[in-house]
Amino acid sequence: MAEAYADLQVHINGQHTFFLNEKIISRFSGKLRKLVMQENSKKQIGGSRLLDIDDFPGGVEEFELVSRFCYNNGNIEISVSNVCPLHCSAVFLGMTEMLCCCNLMHQTEVFLEGMFYWSWNDILVSLKSCESFFSYADSCGIIQKLMCALLGKIAQNSGIDFLASSSSTSLSPETTYGFRLPGSSKASPELIKHGSFSRKAWWFEDMTTLHPIIIEKFLHILGAFGTENNNLVLTKFLLHYLKSALQGKRGDPFLKSEYSGLADTAVYGVITIGKKVFSCRALFWVLRIVSGFGLSLSHKYGLERMIASMLDQATLDDLLIPGRDGGVYDVNLVVRLIRLFVHHGNVGCEQKRKKIGRLIDQYLGEIAPDQNLEISKFLGVAESLPDCARDCYDGVYTAIAIFLESHPILSLEQRSRICRCLNYEKLSLEASNNLANNPKTPQRVAVLALASQRYITENDYTASSTSGSQLLQLNKLDIDSDDNDDVKLQLHLQSMKWKVVELEKVCKQMKSQMSRMVDTEAIINPVHSRGLPRLC
């Protein structure tokens, strides 16, 4: 295209200017011919006219292909990778048979008629070529045809029934190409092994290369987008697709906006299918995937509530979900799950509560070393379960000891605050002894722990009497029978304390008796009371 013969400048999408021959271009394009003839669209710049064309499908590269078609006397090599851009360009520019025989629109239409005989990869390549002008391609009907060809390939090569035929669209696979998709949308439990996605259909991985807007159209055609999704295989595919997108585009700011609709659709499918198909571990796997996208609050709550109802089946690894607010783990999520379990779960089952109590104590020990973990979040986890969920608070104290060790600059008030979640009466003697000797523990907390142990010891060994001598005797037996030096020392200290208390009682009684004897003697012998010698 020599510039010497150019008398027309075409500026495409504000990006590039083409210098063309007006007669050559107008011969094939009705739109360009019309624009050239309109005086209000002409601008004289150095003897050539300037045309501005915005929103040209495919952009600069596709307009260059169209220009070559015109300069090559209506000849161009059409392939699966360029047929869609060329067809949309021909529609946009009005390159019909009314202008010349075998124009570009006719040639692309003939090529597209053989779409059903394309290979699977050909269909994918052609779909990918439509990403930059998807809306225009959809309005031209190309996307619908490609989707039907795609579904045909899946149906022909799949050994499972996974899709219900789409009767809501005017151009369905059944009516367009004369074949019927398998008509079952029921979940197949065999597809999931032990609640995890151990199998995937052959087409899953190939379709991860497609843009999310194409996947949305795919689901819309099947009537399975958003709250219409109740299909296990499509739900599995979406989760696989979202996982691949998350791995390939981590940190992409457009990730949430582009994939949020697909994430909602996947979660709705998970919730609809229910507990019979998804184990607790599989649900946590789903949560890890969709949490990276802009999930709506209603779907997020539904998924978390479903997980909470099965929380007693969770393991520590399930709860260790990476944090998003600077912390190592997502502590807020665990707090929400526990509270949902308490308020909506089977709280009447004592065995479930205590199982979760042990799990949460392990979780506290795991998150305690995180130096960015706030006291309020630690307490939020520790206090989210009712007291009856724990028979023993040793696990909570262990986590507190780790937290105090990992946060050496805490004030006395902060160290006292984090200990408020302890139930001292449910601490073992060994834990109480460790707490009392821990230099990080506030003295007031140590006193409360020891006082609770003394109260427990008194009630355990002297249910009907609080005699100090009996308690000393029982403590002595414990010392003789216990091999633990710390326990022996603790019991010995308690015995000494009770011995002091007994001695104080005896002294107080003797002092009282002596006082009464002196008062009686003064009444009987007043002279003696004044210090005079007593008369016989």
Side-chain angles (χ1 to χ4, degrees):
M1 293 180 289
E3 186 174 350
Y5 299 99
D7 56 359
L8 178 66
Q9 298 182 30
V10 183
H11 197 52
I12 299 297
N13 297 347
Q15 298 176 347
H16 187 77
T17 300
F18 289 86
F19 296 87
L20 306 172
N21 183 275
E22 178 183 321
K23 291 183 178 180
I24 295 177
I25 294 297
S26 298
R27 176 188 171 192
F28 295 93
S29 173
K31 183 171 184 176
L32 290 177
R33 178 186 294 185
K34 184 178 180 179
L35 291 176
V36 169
M37 294 175 62
Q38 292 177 352
E39 292 295 329
N40 57 356
S41 299
K42 297 177 183 178
K43 293 183 180 179
Q44 297 294 332
I45 301 180
S48 64
R49 299 180 179 87
L50 173 64
L51 300 179
D52 285 319
I53 298 180
D54 297 322
D55 301 323
F56 184 81
V60 174
E61 293 181 359
E62 302 311 322
F63 189 83
E64 183 176 357
L65 285 178
V66 173
S67 301
R68 290 181 179 179
F69 171 84
C70 297
Y71 273 80
N72 200 29
N73 198 26
N75 294 313
I76 193 171
E77 183 178 353
I78 301 178
S79 65
V80 293
S81 61
N82 67 16
V83 62
C84 292
L86 285 175
H87 181 76
C88 291
S89 299
V91 173
F92 185 87
L93 295 174
M95 303 175 74
T96 65
E97 293 293 287
M98 296 178 62
L99 298 176
C100 66
C101 180
C102 202
N103 206 343
L104 183 59
M105 187 182 298
H106 173 75
Q107 293 187 37
T108 56
E109 286 176 347
V110 172
F111 192 91
L112 290 171
E113 286 178 1
M115 184 186 300
F116 184 63
Y117 301 100
W118 292 0
S119 69
W120 167 259
N121 288 333
D122 289 342
I123 298 173
L124 292 179
V125 169
S126 194
L127 272 172
K128 284 183 65 66
S129 70
C130 298
E131 291 180 358
S132 61
F133 54 96
F134 181 84
S135 297
Y136 195 84
D138 193 20
S139 66
C140 293
I142 294 180
I143 300 300
Q144 192 85 354
K145 293 179 180 179
L146 286 170
M147 287 296 176
C148 291
L150 189 74
L151 292 173
K153 294 297 180 184
I154 294 175
Q156 291 172 0
N157 295 279
S158 296
I160 56 174
D161 293 342
F162 79 109
L163 297 174
S165 60
S166 175
S167 58
S168 60
T169 58
S170 59
L171 186 61
S172 68
E174 300 175 19
T175 58
T176 304
Y177 296 114
F179 67 90
R180 177 176 293 276
L181 295 176
S184 173
S185 62
K186 296 181 180 179
S188 302
E190 296 81 7
L191 295 176
I192 290 187
K193 182 180 181 182
H194 305 305
S196 62
F197 297 96
S198 57
R199 290 181 56 188
K200 61 178 182 291
W202 59 269
W203 47 274
F204 280 18
E205 189 63 33
D206 291 337
M207 291 188 64
T208 58
T209 61
L210 299 177
H211 193 274
I213 195 173
I214 298 178
I215 302 301
E216 283 192 16
K217 183 65 176 181
F218 175 74
L219 296 173
H220 275 295
I221 290 178
L222 296 171
F225 185 78
T227 56
E228 296 178 340
N229 177 30
N230 61 352
N231 189 287
L232 174 61
V233 177
L234 289 179
T235 300
K236 285 179 58 182
F237 162 66
L238 279 177
L239 292 172
H240 180 78
Y241 179 83
L242 293 171
K243 179 184 177 183
S244 299
L246 196 63
Q247 293 174 343
K249 296 185 178 182
R250 188 175 300 276
D252 191 333
F254 299 104
L255 196 62
K256 291 185 177 180
S257 60
E258 291 183 346
Y259 293 84
S260 59
L262 298 179
D264 281 344
T265 302
V267 171
Y268 185 85
V270 171
I271 296 173
T272 303
I273 294 168
K275 304 176 185 177
K276 294 182 180 179
V277 175
F278 291 88
S279 67
C280 184
R281 169 154 291 190
L283 291 176
F284 272 105
W285 180 80
V286 171
L287 183 63
R288 280 180 166 86
I289 293 175
V290 299
S291 59
F293 304 92
L295 200 64
S296 66
L297 291 178
S298 59
H299 287 81
K300 181 179 180 181
Y301 175 79
L303 180 59
E304 290 182 358
R305 182 171 179 176
M306 189 174 179
I307 294 175
S309 66
M310 305 168 66
L311 195 58
D312 59 297
Q313 303 175 22
T315 64
L316 179 60
D317 289 340
D318 295 332
L319 299 182
L320 299 179
I321 297 179
R324 298 184 177 276
D325 300 323
V328 177
Y329 300 112
D330 192 346
V331 178
N332 292 334
L333 169 65
V334 175
V335 173
R336 291 197 303 271
L337 293 177
I338 300 172
R339 290 175 179 174
L340 283 171
F341 170 81
V342 172
H343 290 92
H344 302 289
N346 187 12
V347 294
C349 181
E350 182 179 358
Q351 184 178 2
K352 283 186 177 182
R353 288 200 307 266
K354 292 185 177 179
K355 187 175 181 180
I356 293 178
R358 293 190 292 270
L359 174 64
I360 297 307
D361 288 354
Q362 295 176 13
Y363 181 75
L364 286 171
E366 193 69 27
I367 65 175
D370 181 7
Q371 296 185 355
N372 293 323
L373 181 65
E374 300 175 357
I375 294 178
S376 59
K377 289 189 176 183
F378 183 94
L379 291 175
V381 177
E383 297 176 342
S384 56
L385 283 172
D387 184 71
C388 60
R390 294 184 176 95
D391 290 329
C392 179
Y393 271 73
D394 285 13
V396 179
Y397 166 67
T398 301
I400 290 176
I402 296 174
F403 186 92
L404 294 176
E405 186 69 27
S406 304
H407 299 75
I409 61 173
L410 293 178
S411 65
L412 177 62
E413 179 183 357
Q414 290 174 320
R415 287 184 282 131
S416 300
R417 180 187 171 197
I418 198 173
C419 292
R420 77 182 189 190
C421 59
L422 285 173
N423 184 339
Y424 303 109
E425 296 181 4
K426 288 188 176 182
L427 284 174
S428 67
L429 185 61
E430 182 179 1
S432 295
N433 181 59
N434 188 288
L435 185 151
N437 290 280
N438 189 341
K440 304 279 185 185
T441 304
Q443 292 184 358
R444 183 181 65 84
V445 174
V447 171
L448 288 174
L450 289 177
S452 297
Q453 282 300 320
R454 188 176 68 180
Y455 172 79
I456 294 171
T457 304
E458 178 184 357
N459 281 274
D460 287 343
Y461 295 126
T462 61
S464 60
S465 171
T466 58
S467 171
S469 59
Q470 292 179 4
L471 183 62
L472 287 172
Q473 183 178 1
L474 289 171
N475 280 341
K476 185 177 184 302
L477 293 175
D478 281 82
I479 293 174
D480 295 338
S481 61
D482 201 311
D483 295 331
N484 190 295
D485 292 340
D486 290 338
V487 175
K488 289 180 181 180
L489 177 61
Q490 183 68 23
L491 292 174
H492 181 67
L493 291 174
Q494 292 177 15
S495 300
M496 294 297 293
K497 291 178 182 178
W498 278 105
K499 186 173 182 179
V500 171
V501 171
E502 288 295 314
L503 290 174
E504 288 178 349
K505 289 182 179 179
V506 173
C507 291
K508 186 175 181 181
Q509 291 175 357
M510 293 178 63
K511 184 177 180 180
S512 177
Q513 291 176 358
M514 291 179 64
S515 179
R516 287 197 298 271
M517 291 176 61
V518 171
D519 292 340
T520 302
E521 184 69 20
I523 294 173
I524 296 174
N525 195 342
V527 177
H528 178 70
S529 65
R530 291 193 296 269
L532 297 177
R534 182 178 178 181
L535 298 176
C536 296

